[in-house]
C-alpha cells in the first residue's frame, strides 16, 4: 500500500506519480478527502483527550480546596462519552481511507519511462542471435501434435479450455526444466522453499492481488482460500507481520509451484497453445531486502533469469516496462521476452519487479533498523514460466522434419 504518511506530507507529489501510472484523478481526490477527514477526526479526538486530562487534574485541586466535585464529575462523564465517540469516528475514517488506499497501485520510480501500453516499452538489450531457418518454422501447437508431447483436447475434456495434458517427452521435459531452474537458482544464492498452493485472503492482500484482482482468482469456500496465481504470494508472505533482524537480510528464495489464473481480462487472447493457460507451472524468484540493497538484488534477479535462458540457448531480450504496462504492485519492472520463431516475435517469459515498500507495508514485513522498525523492500520475478520455456524450446530447436532436439543443459536431467 502507498505510504499514508507521505500522502499527508506531500499529496501533490504522490498524485503526480500516480497519475503517471494512469490512476483516475477523481479517485485520488477522494483519497485526499478521506485523508483530511481522518486528520480532522484525530484532531478532534486529541482535543477531547486533552480536555479529559485537564479535568482529571482538577479533581485533585477540588479535593484539596474542599470544593464540590459533582459538577466537575458530570463534565468528565459527558466528555468520556464524546471521547469514545471520537475514537469510533477515527476508526471508521481510518478504515475508509485504508479501503481506498488498498485499491491504489504502487507509485512508479521516476526513471520508469512514460507510456500507454506495451508498445511504449523500451528494449534494453538482446541476448543471443535467433537462428536462421532454411524452412518455415512451425508454431508450438503444430509441433506438439506432431510429436505427441501436448494434448489440448484432453485438457478440455478433463477441465475446460486453456488446460492441457503433457505426454511422454513433453512431460519429462517439463519436469527436467523445473529441476534445472531450481538447481540453477540455488547456484545463484536463492534458497529453495516449498509452499502451499492455497492461501488465505490476508496473503493475497499482502502482495496486492486483492482486492483489485479477485475476478482472476480461483476461490475455495469453507474455509475461504484461494489457489495461488504465483508463488510470489506464499513465499513473500512467509514473513507476513514479522520483524526481521537486519543481519537476516537479504532473504533470497526460489520456489516451484503450479499457478492458477482465470485470465478474466484476457478473453480472446492466445486461445491456441500454451501461452495463456488457466493452470501453469512456474519457478519463481522472491527477495526480501534492506532498502539500500534492493536495486543490487534486482539486478541479480534479472541476470539470473537471463542467464538461465542463455544456458538453454534461447535468444531473448530485456525490456524496461513503461508506466502504462507496469503491474499494480511494481515500482519498476524488467521483462524478459524469449524469441519464438513460429510466431516470429518475442514473447514475455519472465517479469522481474521491485515493489519497494509497497507489499511490505500491506503485509507488515519489517526489519530492526537500529532502535526503530523499518519496512523491507520486496522483489519478485519468474525464473521461468515453465510452459513458455517448453514452447520456446520446441520452436527454437525444431528440425525440418518436425522433430525437436534438446538443449545440452537439459541432457543430464533426461538421462541423455
Amino acid at each position: 500500500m502507498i505510504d499514508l504518511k507521505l500522502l499527508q506530507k506531500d499529496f501533490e507529489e504522490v498524485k503526480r506519480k500516480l497519475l503517471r501510472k494512469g490512476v483516475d484523478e477523481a479517485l485520488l481526490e477522494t483519497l485526499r478527502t478521506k485523508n483530511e477527514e481522518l486528520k480532522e477526526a484525530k484532531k478532534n479526538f486529541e482535543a477531547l483527550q486533552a480536555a479529559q486530562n485537564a479535568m482529571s487534574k482538577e479533581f485533585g485541586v477540588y479535593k484539596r480546596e474542599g470544593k464540590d466535585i459533582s459538577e466537575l464529575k458530570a463534565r468528565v462523564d459527558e466528555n468520556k462519552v464524546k471521547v469514545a465517540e471520537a475514537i469510533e469516528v477515527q476508526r471508521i475514517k481510518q478504515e475508509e481511507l485504508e479501503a481506498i488506499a488498498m485499491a491504489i497501485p504502487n507509485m512508479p520510480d521516476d526513471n520508469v519511462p512514460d507510456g500507454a501500453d506495451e508498445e511504449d516499452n523500451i528494449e534494453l538489450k538482446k541476448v543471443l542471435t535467433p537462428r536462421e531457418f532454411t524452412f518455415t518454422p512451425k508454431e508450438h501447437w503444430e509441433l506438439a501434435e506432431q510429436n505427441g508431447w501436448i494434448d489440448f483436447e484432453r485438457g478440455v475434456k478433463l477441465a475446460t479450455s486453456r488446460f492441457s495434458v503433457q505426454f511422454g517427452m513433453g512431460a519429462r521435459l517439463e519436469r527436467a526444466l523445473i529441476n534445472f531452474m531450481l538447481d540453477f537458482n540455488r547456484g545463484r544464492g536463492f534458497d529453495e522453499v516449498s509452499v502451499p498452493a492455497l492461501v488465505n485472503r490476508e496473503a493475497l492482500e499482502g502482495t496486492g492481488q486483492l482486492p483489485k484482482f479477485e475476478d482472476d482468482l480461483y476461490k475455495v469456500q469453507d474455509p475461504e482460500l484461494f489457489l495461488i496465481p504465483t508463488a510470489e504470494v506464499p513465499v513473500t508472505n512467509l514473513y507476513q507481520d514479522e520483524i526481521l533482524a537486519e543481519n537476516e537480510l537479504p532473504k533470497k528464495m526460489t520456489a516451484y509451484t503450479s499457478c492458477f489464473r482465470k485470465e478474466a481480462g484476457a478473453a480472446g487472447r492466445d486461445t491456441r497453445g500454451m501461452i495463456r493457460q488457466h493452470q501453469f507451472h512456474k519457478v519463481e524468484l522472491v527477495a526480501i531486502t534492506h532498502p539500500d540493497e534492493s536495486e543490487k538484488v534486482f539486478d541479480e534477479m534479472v541476470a539470473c533469469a537471463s542467464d538461465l535462458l542463455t544456458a538453454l540457448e534461447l535468444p531473448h531480450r530485456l525490456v524496461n516496462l513503461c508506466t502504462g504496462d507496469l503491474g499494480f504492485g511494481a515500482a519498476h519492472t524488467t521483462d524478459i521476452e524469449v524469441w519464438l520463431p513460429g510466431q516470429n516475435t518475442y514473447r514475455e517469459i519472465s517479469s522481474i519487479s521491485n515493489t519497494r515498500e509497497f507489499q511490505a507495508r500491506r503485509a507488515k514485513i519489517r526489519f530492526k533498523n537500529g532502535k526503530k522498525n523499518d519496512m523491507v523492500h520486496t522483489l519478485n520475478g519468474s525464473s521461468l514460466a515453465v510452459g513458455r520455456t517448453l514452447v520456446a524450446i520446441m520452436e527454437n530447436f525444431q528440425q525440418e522434419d518436425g522433430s525437436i532436439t534438446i538443449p545440452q543443459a537439459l541432457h543430464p536431467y533426461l538421462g541423455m
Side-chain angles (χ1 to χ4, degrees):
M1 165 164 87
I2 61 171
D3 188 349
L4 295 180
K5 291 181 180 177
L6 181 60
L7 181 73
Q8 294 167 357
K9 181 180 178 182
D10 194 350
F11 176 82
E12 289 304 321
E13 177 63 8
V14 172
K15 177 180 175 180
R16 180 189 72 81
K17 291 186 175 184
L18 289 173
L19 286 175
R20 292 183 65 221
K21 207 167 182 179
V23 178
D24 182 31
E25 188 168 1
L27 180 61
L28 294 176
E29 289 302 329
T30 301
L31 189 67
R32 189 217 295 259
T33 299
K34 292 299 180 183
N35 185 52
E36 291 301 320
E37 289 177 357
L38 176 61
K39 285 170 64 177
E40 189 63 30
K42 287 181 176 179
K43 183 179 177 181
N44 183 49
F45 164 73
E46 288 166 359
L48 290 168
Q49 189 66 49
Q52 191 78 6
N53 293 338
M55 285 187 286
S56 295
K57 290 178 181 178
E58 286 186 59
F59 273 109
V61 175
Y62 274 42
K63 286 181 178 180
R64 284 197 302 272
E65 296 179 355
K67 292 182 178 180
D68 182 6
I69 64 170
S70 57
E71 185 270 338
L72 175 61
K73 184 176 183 304
R75 282 194 289 126
V76 168
D77 290 343
E78 181 183 358
N79 198 69
K80 280 183 179 178
V81 174
K82 291 180 179 179
V83 168
E85 291 172 346
I87 290 173
E88 180 63 11
V89 169
Q90 184 175 306
R91 183 191 66 78
I92 291 170
K93 295 301 179 184
Q94 182 76 36
E95 287 182 355
E96 289 176 349
L97 176 62
E98 289 184 359
I100 297 173
M102 287 288 277
I104 300 290
N106 198 2
M107 295 179 290
D109 288 349
D110 286 337
N111 61 357
V112 173
D114 287 320
D117 52 36
E118 61 186 18
E119 298 299 321
D120 296 318
N121 294 339
I122 295 175
E123 182 182 293
L124 299 173
K125 67 175 181 178
K126 285 187 171 78
V127 181
L128 302 182
T129 302
R131 167 187 167 196
E132 291 187 10
F133 287 83
T134 58
F135 57 93
T136 301
K138 297 178 180 178
E139 297 202 50
H140 72 278
W141 56 78
E142 300 174 85
L143 296 163
E145 182 178 349
Q146 181 176 339
N147 289 276
W149 286 14
I150 308 170
D151 193 318
F152 299 102
E153 291 182 3
R154 283 186 169 84
V156 173
K157 182 165 67 173
L158 293 175
T160 184
S161 60
R162 297 188 190 267
F163 286 88
S164 62
V165 178
Q166 281 66 255
F167 283 96
M169 181 55 79
R172 291 180 61 206
L173 190 55
E174 188 174 67
R175 179 161 52 90
L177 282 167
I178 293 166
N179 288 331
F180 172 68
M181 291 174 188
L182 289 171
D183 288 347
F184 191 96
N185 295 342
R186 283 193 301 106
R188 293 297 181 93
F190 292 85
D191 293 329
E192 186 174 345
V193 295
S194 180
V195 290
L198 286 161
V199 292
N200 56 33
R201 180 172 288 273
E202 289 75 19
L204 286 154
E205 289 175 342
T207 44
Q209 283 77 17
L210 288 179
K212 186 175 177 62
F213 302 106
E214 187 157 351
D215 287 346
D216 257 337
L217 301 173
Y218 286 97
K219 185 176 179 179
V220 178
Q221 299 286 359
D222 194 28
E224 183 188 57
L225 294 170
F226 298 83
L227 287 166
I228 60 171
T230 167
E232 165 199 344
V233 179
V235 177
T236 303
N237 279 282
L238 287 171
Y239 299 96
Q240 178 191 113
D241 202 16
E242 290 189 26
I243 300 171
L244 303 171
E246 188 173 4
N247 61 11
E248 291 183 76
L249 303 176
K251 288 188 175 293
K252 296 162 59 180
M253 296 163 283
T254 185
Y256 152 70
T257 61
S258 288
C259 306
F260 305 86
R261 296 179 191 171
K262 289 183 179 178
E263 297 288 358
R269 295 179 61 190
D270 301 308
T271 54
R272 296 192 68 182
M274 290 188 68
I275 295 295
R276 202 174 295 275
Q277 297 269 281
H278 289 314
Q279 178 184 345
F280 56 97
H281 304 307
K282 189 152 67 81
V283 174
E284 189 80 1
L285 298 172
V286 171
I288 296 174
T289 77
H290 189 290
D292 294 344
E293 289 188 311
S294 69
E295 276 306 291
K296 173 178 173 287
V297 174
F298 177 83
D299 291 340
E300 291 176 3
M301 292 170 69
V302 172
C304 183
S306 176
D307 291 349
L308 205 160
L309 284 168
T310 300
L312 292 170
E313 306 169 56
L314 292 171
H316 57 282
R317 67 174 185 169
L318 276 59
V319 176
N320 189 16
L321 296 197
C322 70
T323 52
D325 202 26
L326 208 57
F328 180 81
H332 77 256
T333 297
T334 293
D335 268 8
I336 301 178
E337 299 177 348
V338 69
W339 175 252
L340 297 182
Q343 297 186 27
N344 194 37
T345 192
Y346 287 95
R347 297 298 301 265
E348 178 198 336
I349 196 167
S350 175
S351 194
I352 314 290
S353 296
N354 191 340
T355 77
R356 305 292 182 190
E357 298 178 3
F358 185 78
Q359 291 180 334
R361 186 169 286 106
R362 295 168 75 105
K364 299 181 179 66
I365 309 173
R366 295 147 290 173
F367 75 102
K368 184 66 70 175
N369 190 6
K371 293 184 178 180
K372 61 178 182 175
N373 299 328
D374 283 340
M375 294 292 172
V376 299
H377 281 191
T378 66
L379 304 92
N380 62 81
S382 313
S383 177
L384 303 159
V386 177
R388 293 192 180 194
T389 309
L390 177 59
V391 166
I393 288 173
M394 292 169 68
E395 292 198 10
N396 282 276
F397 286 86
Q398 64 180 290
Q399 305 303 306
E400 190 167 7
D401 63 359
S403 62
I404 301 164
T405 59
I406 304 297
Q408 192 69 35
L410 296 177
H411 285 194
Y413 294 87
L414 294 164
M416 299 175 72

